[in-house]
Amino acid sequence: MAHPFATLTPDLVLDAVESIGFLSDARILALNSYENRVYQVGIEDSEPLIAKFYRPQRWTNEAILEEHQFTFELAECDVPVVAPMIHNGASLHEHNGFRFTLFPRRGGRAPEPGNLDQLYRLGQLLGRLHAVGATKPFEHREALGVQNFGHASLTTLLEGNFIPKSLLPAYESVARDLLKRVEDVYNVTPHQNIRMHGDCHPGNMMCRDEMFHIVDLDDCRMGPAVQDIWMMLAGDRQECLGQLSELMDGYNEFHDFDPRELALIEPLRALRLMHYSAWLARRWDDPAFPHSFPWFGTERYWGDQVLALREQLAALNEEPLKLF
């Protein structure tokens, strides 16, 4: 059977945007997105808009609207975020079986790795994000946890026959050892789940005119605050300590960070490694994935994954980063 996105043609994209009252100039540009489909659509006598078409059957309408509501709350508190446009009284629209949302076009560049001045300002932005996120929980979005990001990921990979037989015993063994260690750390580390970005890599914190703004809250969920922090760190341990200090100086101006959560950095990194492989496996029926990730399923990829998980297991046995 054809994948649902196979019917999302350029004409359908233009028809969807025009179905809610915009007049396109027929210019359309596909943007870099795999989980959903995102397009820049030209509008007659106006700035282009960004149209995001949600992957069918991934989120419920309630979960999507909860994401939108979170961005609206952030915007109302003057947190710089690219929020969905409300048009005809709604932020979520439907056309020919596809749910879509429009955003204003907002360009920018990603932060420079290790730039301490930028990290201080990113810390301020994350503190403001979490100050809003901590005011109430999500009701329709799951929390990040060892079960759904770890054990469920391993089950997907083992049952889907994605791992070459020659590497299957090694991968399964190290993955199970790693998950046991992750669970142990989770169980002894105090942490509070709050509404957070969920996929806060530097590419989702864009800078324009010397101001940072948050983009793409598609993966927002409940989880520990440190999940949105650790991906801002790069380099060796000493470099990460200096970067963490700058981040926290900015962060704590707006929201109190519990330093005990730093012990979760390596467990969360481990879960992300496994979840990424499982994400590729779950999306393999989408023609965009084999085309864009041809190395998935090769012995080289899975050999590298075995090595990465072993290195991650070793990292979990090291002393966590600490604030001084």
Side-chain angles (χ1 to χ4, degrees):
M1 295 179 62
H3 191 272
F5 276 141
T7 63
L8 187 60
T9 62
D11 283 343
L12 194 152
V13 170
L14 296 176
D15 287 346
V17 172
E18 293 190 340
S19 72
I20 59 173
F22 290 95
L23 180 60
S24 79
D25 60 12
R27 290 181 298 170
I28 182 171
L29 174 66
L31 302 181
N32 188 27
S33 177
Y34 295 106
E35 184 62 11
N36 304 295
R37 295 294 188 267
V38 182
Y39 303 89
Q40 177 178 292
V41 178
I43 303 298
E44 286 282 0
D45 301 321
S46 187
E47 287 290 312
L49 298 177
I50 304 301
K52 172 181 174 180
F53 289 78
Y54 289 91
R55 178 173 290 273
Q57 301 178 339
R58 184 190 179 211
W59 293 119
T60 64
N61 285 354
E62 291 81 6
I64 294 174
L65 291 172
E66 203 164 44
E67 169 208 339
H68 294 183
Q69 181 57 38
F70 187 28
T71 62
F72 297 146
E73 289 177 47
L74 292 168
E76 288 169 4
C77 294
D78 294 323
V79 179
V81 60
V82 181
M85 297 172 57
I86 297 178
H87 190 70
N88 298 334
S91 59
L92 181 62
H93 313 280
E94 190 272 336
H95 182 73
N96 274 25
F98 286 101
R99 296 168 298 172
F100 69 99
T101 293
L102 299 180
F103 296 84
R105 185 177 65 171
R106 188 85 57 83
R109 64 184 186 278
E112 301 169 16
N115 184 308
L116 297 184
D117 176 62
Q118 289 189 347
L119 285 168
Y120 175 79
R121 289 185 287 150
L122 287 169
Q124 291 178 312
L125 183 53
L126 288 172
R128 296 169 69 189
L129 168 70
H130 289 170
V132 176
T135 57
K136 63 182 182 182
F138 282 134
E139 295 182 5
H140 301 285
R141 288 183 162 248
E142 65 180 7
L144 188 163
V146 182
Q147 180 58 43
N148 58 354
F149 267 58
H151 290 289
S153 295
L154 180 58
T155 298
T156 293
L157 296 172
L158 296 181
E159 293 183 352
N161 297 317
F162 292 99
I163 306 171
K165 290 182 179 179
S166 60
L167 292 167
L168 181 58
Y171 185 89
E172 182 175 3
S173 176
V174 69
R176 294 197 186 282
D177 289 344
L178 184 60
L179 288 175
K180 177 63 169 65
R181 186 75 182 98
V182 167
E183 285 180 330
D184 290 343
V185 177
Y186 249 83
N187 289 337
V188 300
T189 303
H191 60 279
Q192 177 186 0
N193 282 348
I194 63 172
R195 292 181 297 172
M196 52 153 192
H197 188 289
D199 190 27
C200 199
H201 58 77
N204 281 333
M205 309 286 280
M206 304 298 288
C207 184
R208 183 179 183 182
D209 299 328
E210 301 306 314
M211 294 289 294
F212 283 102
H213 56 270
I214 302 165
V215 301
D216 192 10
L217 275 86
D218 191 67
D219 284 303
C220 64
R221 64 189 71 230
M222 301 295 293
V226 72
Q227 168 65 11
D228 281 351
I229 292 170
W230 71 264
M231 278 185 277
M232 295 290 111
L233 306 177
D236 60 29
R237 182 181 179 88
Q238 209 57 40
E239 290 173 315
C240 287
L241 285 171
Q243 295 165 18
L244 182 63
S245 177
E246 289 298 318
L247 271 170
M248 289 297 97
D249 283 349
Y251 185 98
N252 285 314
E253 290 182 10
F254 296 94
H255 190 63
D256 291 332
F257 177 74
D258 184 347
R260 294 176 297 181
E261 286 192 10
L262 293 175
L264 293 179
I265 288 179
E266 297 307 331
L268 290 167
R269 196 192 310 273
L271 294 177
R272 186 172 177 85
L273 279 170
M274 296 185 66
H275 184 261
Y276 178 74
S277 292
W279 173 68
L280 292 175
R282 291 166 182 150
R283 300 294 182 255
W284 207 241
D285 65 333
D286 181 339
F289 278 71
H291 179 267
S292 301
F293 307 98
W295 35 258
F296 183 70
T298 65
E299 292 212 357
R300 178 172 182 176
Y301 172 77
W302 289 104
D304 288 345
Q305 288 304 298
V306 170
L307 178 60
L309 295 190
R310 286 174 177 164
E311 291 175 343
Q312 198 55 36
L313 186 57
L316 277 161
N317 292 321
E318 295 179 359
E319 186 74 14
L321 293 179
K322 291 184 178 180
L323 292 170
F324 297 98

